[in-house]
Amino acid sequence: MKFPDAIRAFKPNPKSHIQETWRILDFFSHLPESLHTFAFFYDDLGVPQDYRHMEGSSVHAYTLISKAGKVHYVKFHWKPTCGVKCLLEDEAIKVGGANHSHATKDLYDSIAAGNYPEWKLYIQTMDPDHEDRFDFDPLDLTKTWPEDILPLQPVGRLVLNKNIDNFFAENEQLAFNPAHVVPGVYYSDDKMLQTRIFAYSDTQRHRLGPNYLQLPVNAPKCPHHNNHHEGFMNFMHRDEEVNYFPSRYDPVRHAERFPIPSNILYGKREKCVIEKENNFKQPGERYRSWAPDRQERFIRRWVDAVSDPRVTHEIRSIWISYWSQADKSLGQKLASRLNDDQSWIPLRFWELRYSTLSCH
C-alpha cells in the first residue's frame, strides 16, 4: 500500500520538478524498515561505475516447484563476471560531467567491440518449513538471506552479445513483469510481490496498450499461445474461430499442467505489520562489516543529507534514532557531527512515536 507513495517521494518535487532529499527523508522517516535499503544507497555502492559492473537480485522471494509438487522459496542473484565497481563522489562528478550517458556508452561500445558483458545466475533456496528458524521474516523484501546459512548456488549465466537496432522498439517498449513466470517458478506470499504482479501488468496495458505482449520485444520466443486476441491495437492476424482457452477444438488443449502451492491458511484477513520486523539488525551488521574509511564516507553522506535546510529537527532526530538502533556508535557519531542537542532522547520514545504514527 505504501509503494506508490515511496515512488512519489523519490521523484522530483511536483511543484519545482527538482529531486530533493528532504522529501525522501520525510517520507521514509515513518518507515524504519527502509533502513537496510539506505545502507546500500548511502554506501559506496550508491553510484555504479557502469552497467557492466552492477549486480542485481530478484529482491523478492519466489517459489520453485518440482513436478511432484515440492515447494522451496528461492531468491535469484546476478553477479557480473568482471566484478562490482562503483564511483565515489569526485569520480562520479568527473565521469558524469564529461558524458552523462557514460554507462550506456560503455555498454554499447563493449558489446560492439566483442567484449560481451556476462553475469552468472545464482539462487538461494529455503524450505518453507524452516522459515521460523530465522529472526526475520524470509518473505520480507527489506531483508537479505544470510549466505553462510543459505549459500549461493550457480545455475546459469546471461551474456549480452548484441546491441539493439532500434532503441524505442526494443527498449522503450519493453515490459518486464514479475507476474510472467515459467512452469516450475511461482510466487510467494511476499506482500510487495503480490502487489507487483498486478501493478506491472496494469501499468503496461496503460503504457503500451492491451496487446503489449504481442510486441516482438515482449512476445515469448518459445511456442506459446492462449487463444487470446482482439482488443485495441491487435496487430496479429489470426484466421481462427476459437478465441478462448481451454477448448476441445484446440490442439493445445492437452497442455501440460504444473502444480502450484496449495497452502492451507487459517485466521482472518487484516492489515498488519510483519511480525518479525527486525529492522535494525541487518543495517547494523552491514555497517560494521565495512573498513573505517568506508564507514566514514557513509557517515559524511548522511550528515550532508540530514543537513538539508528543509529537514526538520524532528526528522533529523528520528534518523539518528534509527541509526543508533542499528549501531550505537554510528548514531553517536551522527549526533556529534550534527551537534544534535536532542540526540540523547531515549530510543523507546521514538519507537513509541513510530507506533503512534503507524496507528494514525
Side-chain angles (χ1 to χ4, degrees):
M1 293 177 66
K2 301 170 185 174
F3 183 51
D5 290 290
I7 298 302
R8 293 188 186 103
F10 277 120
K11 284 190 172 186
N13 185 319
K15 183 174 181 178
S16 65
H17 200 62
I18 298 172
Q19 188 179 39
E20 296 170 317
T21 301
W22 66 268
R23 289 165 39 82
I24 299 170
L25 297 185
D26 172 34
F27 177 78
F28 288 98
S29 69
H30 297 89
L31 308 175
E33 62 266 32
S34 69
L35 207 66
H36 198 197
T37 297
F38 283 101
F40 284 82
F41 285 172
Y42 282 79
D43 179 24
D44 290 350
L45 296 175
V47 184
Q49 176 177 296
D50 50 57
Y51 298 125
R52 292 185 299 124
H53 295 89
M54 289 178 65
E55 62 181 355
S57 74
S58 61
V59 179
H60 301 288
Y62 286 78
T63 56
L64 293 179
I65 312 167
S66 70
K67 288 190 176 182
K70 175 61 179 174
V71 175
H72 279 87
Y73 292 145
V74 61
K75 282 197 172 188
F76 302 95
H77 299 266
W78 293 103
K79 303 287 185 180
T81 57
C82 56
V84 175
K85 295 182 181 179
C86 302
L87 300 173
L88 299 182
E89 284 84 341
D90 55 343
E91 297 171 322
I93 292 171
K94 182 178 179 180
V95 173
N99 181 2
H100 72 277
S101 298
H102 67 94
T104 300
K105 185 177 187 304
D106 172 84
L107 183 63
Y108 187 93
D109 290 348
S110 297
I111 296 173
N115 181 23
Y116 302 139
E118 179 179 335
W119 286 260
K120 293 290 179 64
L121 176 61
Y122 297 84
I123 60 172
Q124 287 177 291
T125 59
M126 178 192 300
D127 190 324
D129 293 336
H130 299 166
E131 62 178 291
D132 291 333
R133 297 181 181 181
F134 297 88
D135 60 3
F136 63 92
D137 186 339
L139 301 185
D140 178 353
L141 84 164
T142 68
K143 307 299 185 292
T144 55
W145 291 358
E147 294 180 13
D148 56 337
I149 301 175
L150 303 169
L152 297 176
Q153 306 171 58
V155 295
R157 68 187 186 123
L158 168 70
V159 180
L160 301 184
N161 59 8
K162 183 183 183 299
N163 278 314
I164 60 178
D165 299 317
N166 182 282
F167 190 84
F168 184 84
E170 298 175 78
N171 186 293
E172 290 295 318
Q173 294 190 120
L174 272 172
F176 289 111
N177 190 335
H180 296 161
V181 293
V182 297
V185 179
Y186 201 65
Y187 319 112
S188 73
D189 292 335
D190 177 334
K191 294 196 287 186
M192 181 72 89
L193 176 60
Q194 290 295 323
T195 299
R196 279 180 160 151
I197 59 180
F198 160 76
Y200 279 59
S201 300
D202 181 66
T203 192
Q204 286 158 1
R205 282 188 289 268
H206 175 76
R207 177 168 66 91
L208 299 170
N211 284 301
Y212 69 98
L213 291 178
Q214 291 183 10
L215 291 167
V217 72
N218 296 322
K221 300 299 183 273
C222 57
H224 168 83
H225 94 120
N226 55 16
N227 292 346
H228 294 177
H229 52 92
E230 319 307 5
F232 184 58
M233 294 185 71
N234 173 48
F235 53 88
M236 186 177 294
H237 176 74
R238 286 175 174 166
D239 183 12
E240 301 172 0
E241 294 183 286
V242 174
N243 59 352
Y244 48 85
F245 181 89
S247 166
R248 301 187 190 281
Y249 297 95
D250 188 337
V252 300
R253 67 180 183 272
H254 299 300
E256 186 175 3
R257 294 188 177 186
F258 292 85
I260 60 174
S262 56
N263 294 337
I264 299 176
L265 304 177
Y266 300 93
K268 59 182 180 180
R269 185 177 64 180
E270 60 182 0
K271 290 190 293 185
C272 59
V273 298
I274 293 174
E275 289 185 5
K276 292 188 290 185
E277 285 190 279
N278 206 352
N279 293 320
F280 305 106
K281 181 182 178 182
Q282 290 193 359
E285 291 175 340
R286 181 170 179 80
Y287 170 79
R288 289 187 292 274
S289 71
W290 299 333
D293 60 332
R294 189 169 175 177
Q295 292 181 346
E296 173 60 27
R297 290 191 292 271
F298 182 79
I299 293 170
R300 186 177 68 242
R301 294 177 187 120
W302 267 102
V303 169
D304 289 344
V306 297
S307 295
D308 186 305
R310 296 289 300 273
V311 174
T312 65
H313 180 74
E314 177 188 20
I315 293 173
R316 183 166 60 247
S317 297
I318 289 173
W319 282 106
I320 292 174
S321 169
Y322 287 166
W323 285 117
S324 296
Q325 292 176 79
D327 184 272
K328 186 176 181 180
S329 66
L330 170 56
Q332 290 173 339
K333 290 176 181 177
L334 285 172
S336 175
R337 302 281 182 91
L338 294 162
N339 292 321
D340 193 294
D341 58 0
Q342 297 295 316
S343 59
W344 53 267
I345 294 177
L347 300 181
R348 181 57 58 185
F349 171 82
W350 291 114
E351 292 170 358
L352 177 62
R353 184 176 185 84
Y354 172 66
S355 299
T356 304
L357 289 169
S358 297
C359 292
H360 286 285

